[in-house]
Amino acid sequence: MSQQPVQTVSGKLILLIKAGYWLALLIIAAMVAASFVLLQQTMATQQHNHTLLDIVGTQKTLSQRIVFLASETGAASRDKQPALVSALKQATAEFETNYDLLLKQTGADPQSPARLDPKSIESVLFAKPFHLDYFSVGLIANGDRLISALESRLNLDNDGYKGGAERVNLDASVANATLSGYAALGQRISAEADERSEKLLALHRTLFYATLGVILLVALFIFRPMSNAILRKTRELVEARNSMAFIAVHDGLTGLHNRTFLTDHFETLIKGAHRRRERLAVVQLDLDRFKQINDTLGHAAGDYVLVVTAQRMRDSCRASDLCARLGGDEFVMILNGAGSTEDINMLARRILAHINEPIVFQGTTILPGASGGIAVYPIDADNAQDLLVHADLALYSAKKMGGGNFSFFSEELRRELDYRKQLEHDIKVAISEKAFQVYFQPQVSLTNGSISGIEALVRWNHPERGMISPGEFIPVAEKCGFMPEIGRIVISKAINEAAEWNRAGIAFGRLAVNVSGTELREHDFDAFLFETLERAGLPPQKLSLEIVESVILDDEKTGIAAKLRHIRAAGVHLELDDFGTGYASLSHVNPNEIDRLKIDRRFVQNIHENGDNSKIVRAITELARGLGISIVAEGAETEAELDSLMAIGCDQVQGYSIAFPMPQDKALEWLTARMPKKAKLRVLQGSLT
């Protein structure tokens, strides 16, 4: 998954979590606030009802007290009456104040239709049978009249009622009527309070259950999906982390450990072997025919072979051993507690025998043919890097013996390694000094002897060891990645020399230079080629690039095919070198992509004695002629071989019978000597008569 979608998904998840959290918080907060308000309302109602009931109770007491004091005052002696009048006056005033407060607290309205409801407070106050308002007001009024009459009789300060006490109706019947009214009022207030409390409790109960329901819904529809999403994403992140951790130290195709893991843990294995005083064997494996499998059966077959090989490696070793894939078809096995040399020898034979068993892929039987190189700790080296290098060198030795076998690292190989290390160093120096030389080998026509081309070949004259064969230093340069630099040195020198010949009018046909797939993979190779041609002044039509069939087979993803088309479109010719030895199909022999085929020397040598080779060369020649592609045979060394090629119809040849590879000065002499002679005019002297 790319970074953009991951960030989008993470952003959406975070937004969902935040929205769910705040929504749930708001819902719960609203329910809690509603419950609090309802509780406050219930408490306020209860307090209000208690206040009313307290007033009612006080009024009941005061009504009895007023009637009692009125009776006592009338029966008391004159000297005691003033105190009783004062108490009566205070009780009446308090009764009146409480009654006003009661009316205010209840909000009773004498005009309200509620007075007709027997269960209402208004009914007790203003309707039959209690008429509490009438008796309360009458009690207050009669009490005030009686107080005024008594104050007048006792000569107390009084500006009120002047009538006699006998006119005042303030007896036990009034007190009883008032008392029964307030008792009924208290019952009605208590009943309404209970009813209101029951409603509030029911509402509170409903709200409580609703809160529980909302919490449950929030848990089910918000927090549960959110927690599931978090759990799922967490699981995905954990799996992704574990997958990344696995990929970081394992090969994606075979599941074996990769080079990174091997590098990080090799020294630990060596320390463990040193601590236990055991031997540790490093077995480096390589499939002998893996490229052939890829080229003929496809990459799917190659991948299947790699997977099966990895599984066979796992099956052949113990749990304490380490199997790793370095890349391509290169594998390494680290065998702990390897034992003696004989034990390692037997184990290696068993491993190779198992790996070399036939593999069936889609009905096709494949023989992978693995080879192995073995280096042993601490005999061959005491560190990881040297052990791998020595095992690789032993593998190279096993491959030179024909493959399908294994070889131990030896002192002879150690000397070869030292020589190769020195050779690598000398190649670096030669590259920096551009010490590589270009030799030229002509290509001629058997029909008329004309020069059809000249091939540029790399040579290296070492200052101490003299001429070093290309077969010796080129494999080392390829393994070390030096070929692109060497190739550019050769191309530049060859193009510059050919440009001088072209300006001097020396016929050389076309200059042919060999280009490897490694060079073509360089992103700026075509730019370098065109710049070199332009700087030297050599027309692109005078240059040919020789490529092998494996370059044609290279996947389009490398960009080589498109680069070759670009180069050919600029006028540079393309030649297919060593034709017949690779695995290119006839679909790649296309006149729109290839200008010339070069028959490999193994088909040319002794062609006059080998009928099969003669048939192969004839078939290739007829194929090329039918497609309109020119052809050249290399390796012709005898007159008999030249005669056979001429008879077959292969006109252009290159080989020792024509000319050996020559340095540029010798090549110039050779080309100059074979230039056609121009006719010279001779002026005749003598008489005109």
Side-chain angles (χ1 to χ4, degrees), residues 276-440:
R276 295 187 299 271
R277 296 184 179 181
E278 294 177 345
R279 285 187 175 188
L280 185 147
V282 180
V283 183
Q284 186 151 345
L285 301 170
D286 185 273
L287 301 180
D288 301 328
R289 289 180 286 276
F290 183 69
K291 187 176 186 309
Q292 178 181 350
I293 295 170
N294 268 338
D295 292 344
T296 55
L297 300 177
H299 290 282
D303 290 346
Y304 183 75
V305 169
L306 293 176
V307 172
V308 172
T309 301
Q311 185 58 48
R312 290 177 176 178
M313 289 173 60
R314 279 191 289 260
D315 296 341
S316 302
C317 65
R318 301 159 299 180
S320 60
D321 299 331
L322 174 64
C323 297
R325 181 189 177 201
L326 302 183
D329 61 334
E330 297 180 18
F331 299 89
V332 167
M333 298 178 69
I334 311 296
L335 308 178
N336 286 300
S340 65
T341 302
E342 183 60 29
D343 294 333
I344 299 173
N345 184 42
M346 292 175 59
L347 181 59
R349 289 187 184 280
R350 189 178 75 247
I351 292 172
L352 275 184
H354 188 36
I355 293 176
N356 285 330
E357 291 177 0
I359 299 173
V360 178
F361 175 75
Q362 296 180 353
T364 302
T365 301
I366 302 172
L367 299 175
S371 297
I374 304 173
V376 180
Y377 167 87
I379 299 173
D380 298 324
D382 59 357
N383 61 84
Q385 183 177 359
D386 287 346
L387 283 170
L388 288 173
V389 171
H390 294 172
D392 183 60
L393 199 60
L395 171 63
Y396 181 71
S397 174
K399 281 184 170 293
K400 285 198 300 184
M401 293 188 298
N405 208 333
F406 64 91
S407 175
F408 281 87
F409 182 74
S410 62
E411 286 301 320
E412 182 180 355
L413 292 178
R414 190 185 300 276
R415 288 190 294 271
E416 289 184 10
L417 176 62
D418 294 338
Y419 173 76
R420 194 177 75 172
K421 287 181 178 179
Q422 184 61 43
L423 191 61
E424 289 177 12
H425 175 267
D426 293 345
I427 290 174
K428 289 182 181 179
V429 174
I431 290 173
S432 64
E433 297 176 355
K434 296 184 178 180
F436 294 99
Q437 299 175 343
V438 180
Y439 276 45
F440 299 92

Side-chain angles (χ1 to χ4, degrees), residues 25 30 56 71 79 116 134 203 214 273 291 303 332 453 490 495 535 622 635 654 680:
L25 189 63
V56 169
S71 176
D79 58 334
L116 302 178
Y134 170 78
L203 182 60
V214 168
K291 187 176 186 309
D303 290 346
V332 167
V490 173
I495 288 178
R535 186 170 57 247
E622 291 177 356
Q654 173 185 347
K680 294 183 179 180

Side-chain angles (χ1 to χ4, degrees), residues 438 440 491-503 508 511 536 664-665 667-668:
V438 180
F440 299 92
I491 290 173
S492 297
K493 289 186 175 182
I495 288 178
N496 288 333
E497 186 65 22
E500 291 184 9
W501 296 342
N502 189 56
R503 284 191 290 270
F508 60 89
L511 172 68
Q664 58 187 34
D665 53 345
L668 178 59

